[in-house]
Amino acid sequence: MRRGSILQLVGLGVLFGGLATLVAVLIPWLPPVASKQRDRIDFVFWFTTGICIAVFALVAAVIAYSLLKFRVQPDDDSDGPPIHGHTGVEIVWTAVPAILVTAISVVSSIVLVQNENVPKNHLDVAVTARQFAWTFTYPDQDGLTSAQLRLPVDRTVKLHLRALDVIHSFWVPEFGQKQDAVPGQDTTLVITPTKVGTYPVICTELCGLGHALMRTSAIVMQPAAFQTWLRDQKNAAAAPPAEAGKAVFTSNGCASCHTLEDAGATGTAGPDLDKLPAYAKQAGKPLEDFVRESIVDPNAYVQSGYPKNVMPAFATLPKDQLDSLVDYLVKSSTGGGS
Ligand code: CUA
């Protein structure tokens, strides 16, 4: 090959590599980074992307060069030269990709092992997935339960996932990993949040009619603010019945689907709970019985205009919590709220 031809090939390679790099770097393909694990995963992404760009630049340059240089003239009807392969080239195009793919798998394995590493002073949180809501329980805090995942920044948390009905999947894009919640199986996910903020928790496994509604928030807080929140939650749970009912309402995620003025809830996916007395009349049941039944067995009576099988059955709610929730809903919907 002449020196000029090599320079042309290299020029084309730099051009295509440069274009591919711009596409990779200028477009924000990934959500912001908010965990250590996500940082490592992004490193694997960029490592792989770098290899892809190099391979793309090489292939595109050779194709473009061949198109420009070896184009057949319109009046040329002769056969091409007979070629019987090239052992040297074949060894190279087998060995180089094998080395690259091995490098990717080694880097990925190291990151996977690092991402599963749990330090001794970690926080445990039990995640319960059901059609169609998430609840988060803090076993070290007397089983404190919340509808949002609250986490202190820079402390590793180990999530213990379980599903009560079908397969769901836990995903916070900014944390970078997904983990299935499978009935009858305990799965775990390790996260070390690195940035204070509020991020979406998304169910990423099609789990039924309400799958798209199965969302909540992961709230990463300063450690001091997290401790204050823990204390406030515990005080609320030990409060008089009306406030305890309100706390049950809030911590079980009711507000994401229902409107209830007293609790400042504005959800519209489910029936408006300020209209409970009217609904009970339509169902032909006493208000308190109607409210209790709708929580424990939501499909017994479904208000017209709302889909069946979307509201989760809270049959596992402890009796004292259920009682205070029913009490609270009856009082607040008839205008006697806290
Ligand atoms: Cu739960 Cu989709």
Side-chain angles (χ1 to χ4, degrees), residues 249 258-267 270-279 287 328-337:
F249 181 86
H258 294 287
T259 291
L260 183 64
E261 204 190 330
D262 185 76
T266 54
D272 180 344
L273 300 183
D274 288 316
K275 296 180 182 151
L276 277 174
Y279 295 152
L287 181 57
Y328 170 67
L329 286 173
V330 168
K331 284 201 178 115
S332 56
S333 67
T334 51

Side-chain angles (χ1 to χ4, degrees), residues 207-250:
C207 54
L209 203 55
H211 163 67
L213 300 173
M214 194 168 161
R215 294 184 170 217
T216 181
S217 308
I219 303 168
V220 178
M221 315 166 84
Q222 292 294 352
F226 179 71
Q227 291 304 330
T228 308
W229 174 77
L230 283 179
R231 216 174 31 240
D232 289 351
Q233 289 308 104
K234 281 192 206 160
N235 290 342
E243 279 166 56
K246 192 171 182 171
V248 175
F249 181 86
T250 315

Side-chain angles (χ1 to χ4, degrees), residues 130 132 134 167-169 203-208 211-212 214:
R130 59 150 78 88
F132 300 96
W134 298 101
I167 302 176
H168 303 272
S169 189
C203 177
T204 177
E205 181 74 62
L206 183 62
C207 54
H211 163 67
M214 194 168 161

Side-chain angles (χ1 to χ4, degrees), residues 19-29 46 53:
L19 286 176
T21 304
L22 289 180
V23 170
V25 173
L26 291 186
I27 299 175
W29 297 101
W46 285 113
I53 290 174

Side-chain angles (χ1 to χ4, degrees), residues 73-209:
Q73 297 304 313
D75 56 347
D76 181 2
D77 290 332
S78 62
D79 288 339
I83 294 172
H84 293 283
H86 188 295
T87 310
V89 172
E90 282 171 26
I91 289 173
V92 170
W93 82 40
T94 307
V96 172
I99 292 168
L100 294 179
V101 171
T102 307
I104 293 172
S105 64
V106 168
V107 170
S108 306
S109 310
I110 293 170
V111 165
L112 277 175
V113 170
Q114 283 180 334
N115 276 1
E116 274 171 23
N117 180 38
V118 195
K120 254 207 188 108
N121 70 338
H122 72 277
L123 178 73
D124 283 299
V125 176
V127 180
T128 306
R130 59 150 78 88
Q131 289 169 315
F132 300 96
W134 298 101
T135 38
F136 306 93
T137 309
Y138 297 76
D140 306 335
Q141 305 293 334
D142 308 328
L144 174 80
T145 298
S146 167
Q148 285 93 28
L149 175 59
R150 302 246 178 189
L151 298 173
V153 71
D154 291 328
R155 181 168 171 201
T156 301
V157 59
K158 186 172 187 182
L159 301 181
H160 303 261
L161 292 93
R162 62 189 196 124
L164 298 185
D165 34 45
V166 299
I167 302 176
H168 303 272
S169 189
F170 177 95
W171 184 38
V172 174
E174 288 80 356
F175 293 162
Q177 292 157 293
K178 295 177 175 180
Q179 180 60 278
D180 280 358
V182 184
Q185 208 175 305
D186 289 320
T187 50
T188 57
L189 183 62
V190 179
I191 299 167
T192 315
T194 49
K195 236 187 246 164
V196 170
T198 301
Y199 311 102
V201 174
I202 297 169
C203 177
T204 177
E205 181 74 62
L206 183 62
C207 54
L209 203 55

